[in-house]
Amino acid sequence: MNISRCCLLFLQYSAVDTNPLSLYVMHPFWNSVVKILPTWLAPNLLTFSGFMLLVLNFFMLAYFDFDFYASGVGHTHVPSWVWIAAGLLNFTAYTLDGVDGKQARRTNSSTPLGELFDHGLDSWACIFFVVTVYSIFGRGEAGVSVLTLFFILWVVLFSFILSHWEKYNTGILFLPWGYDLSQVTISIVYVITAGVGVETWNGPIFLNFHYRDLFSIMILGMNLQLNMEDCCPQV
């Protein structure tokens, strides 16, 4: 990839976001949050802090569910307070990722390096939030197979790469609806799990269709929507 062209694209950063959840709920919320942040707070610090919260989430769940069997029948389950903490950490990380760019524009400190730093950490975050939410279902008899998790990880990572390939060719980053929906949904599911227990997600929703299947379909469907946007950009 031509380095000078990449730098030019970062300098001419442009993004399109048509998600109603993002436009009418999250952006107004982020606009309120960024106003209370001190102007001396560096946007890159917000970006890094949000990423580290996801890393903390990952290691916290890894401590209580190292082999992804904790949600299975007959195993010691993850404590309820851990799920509440996971929900709060995930949503806070999502919020920091939403306000770092606004803070950069607010303080007139936007740089190509800042965008590269943000998107670089986002690429790593794809792994952490998918693997962490996997602990809800686990790999037991009623859980999700490791092979399924492997394919889901590849779909998420490929979608992330594809969206930036589109930006490289069009100069515009089309933000997928799936990202905001997945982050809000995951945060809520963590908190709900603390109240209802992981056993709730083991039972079927209808006939032989389980919540684990809904989880896989949600992730794959959201990324399919992103791939369709990338193949047919609105330019």
Side-chain angles (χ1 to χ4, degrees), residues 68-75 77 134-144 193 196-213:
F68 297 107
Y69 278 114
S71 295
V73 178
H75 294 270
H77 295 332
Y134 180 58
S135 287
I136 293 178
F137 304 94
R139 54 187 293 196
E141 182 178 344
V144 179
T193 302
V196 301
V198 292
E199 298 88 354
T200 302
W201 310 117
N202 293 334
I205 303 174
F206 179 74
L207 296 180
N208 200 35
F209 186 78
H210 291 71
Y211 284 104
R212 64 173 183 266
D213 303 316

Side-chain angles (χ1 to χ4, degrees), residues 7-22:
C7 292
L8 179 61
L9 288 174
F10 278 119
L11 287 170
Q12 298 175 338
Y13 177 72
S14 178
V16 175
D17 190 355
T18 60
N19 181 9
L21 174 63
S22 177

